[in-house]
Amino acid sequence: MKIAYFDCFSGVSGDMILGAMVDAGLELPRLKVRLNQLPLKGFELKTRSAQRGPFIGTKVDVHVQPQKQKSYEIHELENVIRHSRLDDSTKKTVEAILERWIKAEIKAHGSAKSLRFQAEEAIDLLVDIVGCVLGLSLMGIDEVMASSLNLGSGVVDVHGQKVQVPAPTTAELVRGFTVYASGPPQELTTPTGAAIITTLVTSGGSFPEMRLQKVGYGAGNREFSNWPNMLRMLVGESQQVTQTDRMILLETNMDDLNPQVYEHVMERLFAAGAMDVYLTPITMKKGRPGMLLSVLAEPHQATALSEI
């Protein structure tokens, strides 16, 4: 099983993930061919060598020509993906990333109407997200893992207001993941990077046991004094069972719930991709009857199904 481990000691962003993958051996011409399956025009992917502190890595830039359409809502970006020539698996993963971002925005701000991007920014965003998903596939990655996420500190502009890092949407995106703050007083984990990593990662924590094959560094936009703004990607082979053989079991006890709700919850879980959902009668404390709700799913679905 081939593992990609992202060491997020300086946070994470979409372009840093792309840069790390290219630096670790992702063939750029193959990626560009696949990106042409998007129904978008006027963009070009370029790479350059970049040094951040003691590390030399790759900086990926998306150059976008002026567009006729002025802006995109995030739901319009979903339509772009649905009408693309991307394979179904890639579409499903990209849509999951966008949906996770939308849910986080609604949770943080009450709606996703503020998720409107200038056309050039929207194309840059889509290329980053789609490029990351395609890149992992082209590299033959079976499982994605990551370290704890360095969120950074300081303040950041959100809808014209200065707020503390992490921004509300980013905080929602990383909920359930181990995070910390270190380094310069800057936002280090961006919403794009958070949406990608928290959707694709099947497990987090310390460096996994594997036969290390490749190491890549993806440079961030900003340069900080005495702090290397880099994302490290380590790729290797594990002798453990492959991801296709691994499933997760999510369970929760339910007490004092109207039985009419059970069917509704099960339908929502199946619609979200659960492999199996079942109920088991149980006896809870003080002899009260209850139900055990069990959900069998693939590892990457854990967060979305847990939220339901």
Side-chain angles (χ1 to χ4, degrees):
M1 176 174 65
K2 183 175 282 190
I3 296 175
Y5 181 82
F6 289 99
D7 185 6
C8 308
F9 61 85
S10 190
V12 60
S13 63
D15 61 322
M16 291 171 79
I17 299 174
L18 273 179
M21 288 195 291
V22 171
D23 204 58
L26 171 62
E27 296 178 28
L28 193 61
R30 293 182 65 196
L31 178 61
K32 288 181 176 179
V33 169
R34 295 290 300 277
L35 284 172
N36 286 334
Q37 295 174 325
L38 288 169
L40 300 171
K41 295 182 179 180
F43 72 88
E44 185 179 5
L45 211 61
K46 291 188 177 181
T47 63
R48 53 188 169 89
S49 178
Q51 183 165 359
R52 301 287 187 267
F55 304 116
I56 296 178
T58 298
K59 180 71 180 73
V60 172
D61 297 299
V62 182
H63 295 271
V64 184
Q65 298 174 1
Q67 302 289 307
K68 291 183 179 180
Q69 184 167 339
K70 297 299 182 183
S71 63
Y72 288 84
E73 288 186 2
I74 196 163
H75 289 295
E76 292 179 290
L77 298 184
E78 290 183 298
N79 289 331
V80 170
I81 298 303
R82 294 190 185 102
H83 292 93
S84 71
R85 293 182 288 111
L86 295 166
D87 62 274
D88 289 341
S89 177
T90 299
K91 286 183 179 180
K92 183 178 179 181
T93 304
V94 174
E95 288 172 0
I97 293 171
L98 294 175
E99 278 297 319
R100 181 171 174 78
W101 194 342
I102 290 170
K103 288 180 180 178
E105 183 75 9
I106 293 172
K107 181 72 173 179
H109 300 291
S111 77
K113 292 182 179 180
S114 57
L115 281 179
R116 175 175 285 277
F117 307 91
Q118 294 299 313
E120 292 78 9
E121 181 187 9
I123 293 175
D124 188 338
L125 172 68
L126 268 189
V127 172
D128 278 351
I129 294 175
V130 176
C132 290
V133 175
L134 290 173
L136 292 170
S137 175
L138 290 170
M139 294 179 73
I141 302 299
D142 297 304
E143 183 171 6
V144 180
M145 303 178 69
S147 68
S148 301
L149 301 176
N150 185 359
L151 302 181
S153 60
V155 297
V156 64
D157 185 272
V158 177
H159 309 323
Q161 300 289 324
K162 296 293 184 182
V163 300
Q164 290 294 122
V165 172
T169 300
T170 303
E172 281 299 321
L173 285 167
V174 301
R175 189 157 51 89
F177 286 75
T178 303
V179 298
Y180 66 101
S182 184
Q186 300 283 338
E187 180 185 53
L188 298 180
T189 293
T190 68
T192 308
I196 295 170
I197 284 292
T198 59
T199 303
L200 299 181
V201 165
T202 55
S203 62
S206 58
F207 189 77
E209 181 179 347
M210 64 179 177
R211 184 178 294 108
L212 186 61
Q213 297 172 329
K214 297 178 180 179
V215 180
Y217 293 90
N221 279 321
R222 290 168 292 183
E223 296 186 50
F224 307 124
S225 59
N226 302 320
W227 187 267
N229 191 21
M230 282 281 192
L231 173 69
R232 177 161 54 186
M233 177 186 188
L234 303 104
V235 180
E237 288 285 345
S238 170
Q239 299 304 312
Q240 298 177 2
V241 293
T242 63
Q243 185 179 351
T244 54
D245 295 324
R246 294 179 62 230
M247 304 294 287
I248 57 168
L249 181 63
L250 307 172
E251 291 186 326
T252 186
N253 295 346
M254 299 187 296
D255 183 20
D256 194 23
L257 181 67
N258 187 335
Q260 293 176 321
V261 178
Y262 298 159
E263 183 179 3
H264 171 69
V265 174
M266 294 176 76
E267 288 177 352
R268 286 193 61 194
L269 290 165
F270 277 123
M275 302 297 292
D276 197 9
V277 182
Y278 52 93
L279 297 169
T280 306
I282 56 175
T283 301
M284 302 179 69
K285 64 182 180 180
K286 298 182 179 180
R288 293 200 303 266
M291 281 289 183
L292 176 66
L293 173 65
S294 302
V295 182
L296 192 65
E298 295 181 12
H300 73 272
Q301 298 170 314
T303 302
L305 294 176
S306 295
E307 289 176 353
I308 294 174

